[in-house]
C-alpha cells in the first residue's frame, strides 16, 4: 500500500499538495466504507440466516401438525369408545324387547352406530398414518439443524473478520486524515469540505487545459487567471466551470 504520508519532505509541500493528500485519503476511506457495505460475506450471512429461518418455520409447522394430529386421534378414539359403550347398552336393551317395531328401531340405531365407529376408525387410521409420515419428515428435518447453524456461525465469523480488518484500515486512514488536515488552514479546509459535500471530489488537477474534475477545457484566458490565482494561493485555484479547487 502506498502511504501518502511518505511523500518527500513534508515541509516542502504546497497547500495544493496537502489538499490532494487529504483528498486521496478521503477517497480511499470512501472506497473502504463502500466495500464494507457490499461485502460478499454480508450476503453469505444473509443467505445462511435466511435458510435457518426457513428451516425453523418448517420445523414449527411440522410440530404444529403433529399436535393437531394428536388431538384428532384422541378425539376419534374417545368418540368411538363412547359410541361402542352406547351400542353395548342397546344390545342389552335388545334382549328385553318384544315388540318387532321396537326391535327394528334398535337394530337400525345400532347399525348407524356401527357406521359412525367405522368412520371414526378410518379417520383415526388416516391421522395415525399422517402422524407417522410427519414424524419421519421431522426426524430427517432435525438432522440438518447443526449444519445450518454452523453455516450461520461460519458466515458470521467471516463477516466479523473482514469488517474488523476494514475498520482497522479506516482507523488508520482517519489518523492519517487528521494529520494531513492539521497541516491546512481552517478556511481552506472549510472550502474543501464544502466542495466535497457538493461535488464528491473537491480537488482536481489540470491536464493541459482540461480540468480533471469536470473534464472541460479552460480557455487560454481562464488558464492565465487560474495560474495567477494559484500563484497567490499556494497552488490553489478554482475551476471556472465546476467550482472545484484546482491544484496547480
Ligand atoms: Zn472543473
Amino acid at each position: 500500500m502506498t502511504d501518502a504520508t511518505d511523500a518527500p519532505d513534508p515541509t516542502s509541500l504546497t497547500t495544493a499538495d496537502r489538499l490532494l493528500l487529504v483528498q486521496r485519503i478521503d477517497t480511499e476511506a470512501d472506497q473502504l466504507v463502500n466495500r464494507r457495505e457490499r461485502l460478499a460475506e454480508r450476503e453469505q450471512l444473509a443467505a445462511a440466516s435466511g435458510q435457518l429461518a426457513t428451516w425453523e418455520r418448517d420445523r414449527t409447522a411440522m410440530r404444529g401438525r403433529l399436535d393437531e394430529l394428536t388431538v384428532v386421534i384422541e378425539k376419534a378414539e374417545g368418540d368411538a369408545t363412547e359410541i361402542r359403550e352406547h351400542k353395548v347398552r342397546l344390545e342389552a336393551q335388545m334382549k328385553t324387547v318384544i315388540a318387532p317395531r321396537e326391535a327394528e328401531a334398535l337394530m337400525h340405531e345400532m347399525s348407524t352406530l356401527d357406521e359412525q365407529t367405522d368412520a371414526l376408525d378410518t379417520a383415526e387410521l388416516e391421522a395415525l398414518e399422517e402422524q407417522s409420515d410427519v414424524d419421519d419428515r421431522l426426524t430427517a428435518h432435525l438432522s440438518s439443524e447443526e449444519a445450518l447453524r454452523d453455516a450461520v456461525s461460519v458466515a458470521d465469523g467471516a463477516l466479523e473478520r473482514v469488517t474488523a480488518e476494514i475498520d482497522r484500515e479506516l482507523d488508520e486512514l482517519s489518523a492519517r486524515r487528521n494529520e494531513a488536515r492539521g497541516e491546512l488552514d481552517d478556511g481552506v479546509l472549510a472550502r474543501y469540505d464544502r466542495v466535497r459535500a457538493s461535488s464528491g471530489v473537491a480537488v482536481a488537477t489540470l491536464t493541459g487545459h482540461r480540468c480533471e474534475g469536470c473534464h472541460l477545457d479552460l480557455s487560454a484566458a481562464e488558464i492565465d487567471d487560474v495560474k495567477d490565482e494559484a500563484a497567490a494561493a499556494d497552488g490553489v485555484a478554482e475551476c471556472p466551470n465546476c467550482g472545484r479547487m484546482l491544484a496547480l
Side-chain angles (χ1 to χ4, degrees):
M1 191 167 73
T2 48
D3 190 338
T5 54
D6 288 346
D9 187 11
T11 55
S12 72
L13 293 178
T14 62
T15 300
D17 293 333
R18 295 185 199 283
L19 277 169
L20 283 171
L21 174 58
V22 169
Q23 173 160 287
R24 269 201 298 279
I25 295 168
D26 278 339
T27 301
E28 204 178 323
D30 286 348
Q31 285 164 348
L32 276 176
V33 168
N34 197 24
R35 200 182 133 223
R36 197 183 190 287
E37 290 311 307
R38 292 157 197 271
L39 288 170
E41 285 83 354
R42 201 176 294 283
E43 282 171 30
Q44 280 152 8
L45 176 60
S49 302
Q51 280 177 348
L52 180 60
T54 302
W55 179 90
E56 282 175 342
R57 265 200 307 279
D58 290 347
R59 180 186 58 182
T60 303
M62 281 187 251
R63 284 183 172 161
R65 185 61 189 148
L66 284 179
D67 288 346
E68 283 170 7
L69 289 167
T70 301
V71 171
V72 167
I73 291 162
E74 283 172 1
K75 179 154 182 8
E77 276 175 2
D79 289 354
T81 302
E82 271 179 34
I83 291 170
R84 287 196 179 92
E85 284 166 2
H86 187 190
K87 197 188 166 195
V88 168
R89 286 194 298 276
L90 292 186
E91 279 165 349
Q93 203 180 327
M94 188 73 176
K95 289 175 187 156
T96 66
V97 166
I98 299 156
R101 285 188 64 153
E102 202 181 336
E104 201 180 319
L106 275 173
M107 291 291 284
H108 180 72
E109 194 178 347
M110 284 192 288
S111 142
T112 304
L113 292 179
D114 284 343
E115 281 167 20
Q116 286 172 350
T117 45
D118 281 353
L120 286 167
D121 288 347
T122 304
E124 186 187 352
L125 196 64
E126 279 171 6
L128 282 166
E129 276 168 9
E130 190 185 342
Q131 188 183 50
S132 155
D133 177 52
V134 176
D135 216 29
D136 288 349
R137 283 195 289 125
L138 180 58
T139 304
H141 190 71
L142 292 175
S143 71
S144 58
E145 178 171 14
E146 199 182 336
L148 287 167
R149 293 200 187 281
D150 282 354
V152 171
S153 151
V154 165
D156 195 42
L159 178 62
E160 208 172 289
R161 272 192 303 282
V162 70
T163 50
E165 171 60 21
I166 290 175
D167 289 345
R168 197 189 57 72
E169 286 178 43
L170 282 171
D171 284 349
E172 209 177 282
L173 281 176
S174 173
R176 279 171 52 198
R177 180 176 184 266
N178 288 340
E179 196 184 330
R181 286 177 69 97
E183 303 290 328
L184 286 163
D185 291 343
D186 287 349
V188 171
L189 283 175
R191 188 175 156 202
Y192 171 85
D193 290 338
R194 199 171 55 242
V195 181
R196 179 170 148 78
S198 63
S199 305
V201 173
V203 190
T205 51
L206 272 183
T207 303
H209 284 196
R210 173 165 300 187
C211 162
E212 291 298 339
C214 60
H215 304 293
L216 292 174
D217 283 334
L218 276 66
S219 68
E222 285 170 336
I223 291 288
D224 287 343
D225 287 347
V226 296
K227 278 184 176 163
D228 288 347
E229 203 187 332
D234 205 17
V236 182
E238 183 178 309
C239 172
N241 296 312
C242 65
R244 289 190 174 86
M245 301 166 97
L246 281 173
L248 265 59

